[in-house]
Amino acid sequence: MRITRSVRRADLKAVGEVRRALRELMRHRCRTEATDVAELLITELVTNALVHTDRGAEVSASLMAARLRVEVRDHAARRPRPYVPTADDGTHGRGLVLVEALADEWGVDALALGGGKVVWFELDGRREAPYASGPA
């Protein structure tokens, strides 16, 4: 199962639509907690792509056997870097820190010939949380 969306430059209203599409994709297949985390992380990545680049973004999410992979492609070659914001940063600067902390895996892949990059994350969304140390 997969969704794809194109988001126009500076169209921050589209972030909510992308989030709703992701929620619908995960609704009957994943834990509520995983869906909540996925919505937060996709919001951060799409917002970053729209705020920090001068073109739109391509967003895709795939769900296979309750493993979610989200990719956000933008047209800027500059690699994002997580950093811990200061108190003076307000709400800015926390997106990649959240992705780093909450995703099972994440990364940045450069595209060929200055075609931009893909920032991605993966989550395990199984309906039942896996046992931490086996059954009791």
Side-chain angles (χ1 to χ4, degrees), residues 48-127:
N48 282 351
L50 296 179
V51 169
H52 297 293
T53 68
D54 60 353
R55 294 171 64 187
E58 302 296 321
V59 181
S60 66
S62 322
L63 187 59
M64 299 172 118
R67 183 74 175 180
L68 175 72
R69 181 175 175 99
V70 171
E71 299 180 347
V72 178
R73 176 184 184 252
D74 65 44
H75 302 279
R78 187 177 67 253
R79 294 178 64 89
R81 293 179 298 129
Y83 78 101
V84 178
T86 66
D88 295 338
D89 288 338
T91 60
H92 299 288
R94 291 170 175 76
L96 286 180
V97 172
L98 288 171
V99 173
E100 191 172 55
L102 298 175
D104 294 324
E105 294 182 52
W106 80 282
V108 180
D109 299 330
L111 299 174
L113 302 172
K117 66 184 170 297
V118 175
V119 183
W120 58 270
F121 69 85
E122 292 185 357
L123 289 175
D124 180 353
R126 288 181 274 187
R127 289 296 291 167

Side-chain angles (χ1 to χ4, degrees), residues 2-16:
R2 181 176 179 90
I3 60 169
T4 58
R5 298 288 188 273
S6 292
V7 181
R8 291 187 322 268
R9 178 180 154 247
D11 185 7
L12 294 177
K13 290 180 184 178
V15 175

Side-chain angles (χ1 to χ4, degrees), residues 30-56:
C30 300
R31 290 175 290 135
T32 302
E33 298 83 13
T35 302
D36 293 344
V37 168
E39 286 184 54
L40 172 65
L41 299 185
I42 200 170
T43 299
E44 295 297 336
L45 293 187
V46 173
T47 301
N48 282 351
L50 296 179
V51 169
H52 297 293
T53 68
D54 60 353
R55 294 171 64 187

